[in-house]
Amino acid sequence: GAVVSQHPSRVICKSGTSVKIECRSLDFQATTMFWYRQFPKQSLMLMATSNEGSKATYEQGVEKDKFLINHASLTLSTLTVTSAHPEDSSFYICSARDAGGYNEQFFGPGTRLTVL
Amino acid sequence: AQSVAQPEDQVNVAEGNPLTVKCTYSVSGNPYLFWYVQYPNRGLQFLLKYITGDNLVKGSYGFEAEFNKSQTSFHLKKPSALVSDSALYFCAVRGSNDYKLSFGAGTTVTVRA
């Protein structure tokens, strides 16, 4: 099956620094990737839709200058949390849409961000 | 707008007993329905999906789900639960013309030995 990887799996940073999270589709091309945020024991909240070669589409209430998304190739999207603060600590999950078949989404293993 | 309801925050069953996790949905047009499982500090693992065809869908690890159009439901079932099935389960839906998935709030399943 289709595999999506995320790197890093876990990151701890100081308040005020920026953190980049990578999402890669390993065995298929993904014109669209999605970034989600999940708080403990809660559901996934869609943050933004990342389209290859164009600007990301952000959901209401998500600061685009805070969460920078770049989808430079058909297999890689990055999420950069800029000037991170403790309230940005969360579990970030990406998914990639396989344009073939039924446009299914395949999920990465997630990245645990802790901001001190 | 599309949405998913998982009415139970928690489901507790004894090992060997049947397991059911409920899900109802709302979507325009034909629904694409999914079940995912999540273990602590892990991403979502795909269990099964309904796109079209038979209303009873069989998936991974012995799970199955039944699509009921009249009741707009897609309940997840397993005839005999295992302790290792203890996890967080999410139901998700999208319309046939939409790429975005809407997730339910999740149901925590605990299977006791």
Side-chain angles (χ1 to χ4, degrees), chain A residues 49-70:
Chain A
T49 302
S50 167
N51 298 296
E52 188 267 337
S54 64
K55 291 183 179 180
T57 303
Y58 290 82
E59 296 299 301
Q60 190 174 7
V62 178
E63 299 176 59
K64 62 180 181 181
D65 295 330
K66 173 76 171 175
F67 298 99
L68 300 179
I69 291 173
N70 183 277

Side-chain angles (χ1 to χ4, degrees), chain B residues 5-98:
Chain B
Q6 291 181 241
E8 301 158 316
D9 291 336
Q10 290 205 357
V11 170
N12 299 308
V13 299
E15 188 173 35
N17 282 1
L19 170 63
T20 299
V21 186
K22 296 180 180 177
C23 170
T24 59
Y25 67 89
S26 174
V27 70
S28 298
N30 294 324
Y32 288 10
L33 293 154
F34 304 83
W35 275 103
Y36 296 90
V37 60
Q38 185 181 35
Y39 294 95
N41 294 310
R42 303 291 295 276
L44 272 64
Q45 294 182 29
F46 170 79
L47 282 179
L48 50 78
K49 67 183 178 188
Y50 172 83
I51 304 295
T52 186
D54 290 341
N55 289 344
L56 184 62
V57 178
K58 293 188 181 297
S60 306
Y61 311 117
F63 284 95
E64 60 187 31
E66 185 165 10
F67 170 62
N68 187 315
K69 187 174 183 177
S70 63
Q71 296 184 6
T72 60
S73 67
F74 190 56
H75 301 328
L76 180 71
K77 298 180 181 182
K78 185 170 184 178
S80 179
L82 301 172
V83 172
S84 58
D85 294 327
S86 299
L88 182 57
Y89 290 79
F90 290 104
C91 179
V93 70
R94 69 172 180 88
S96 56
N97 295 320
D98 194 348

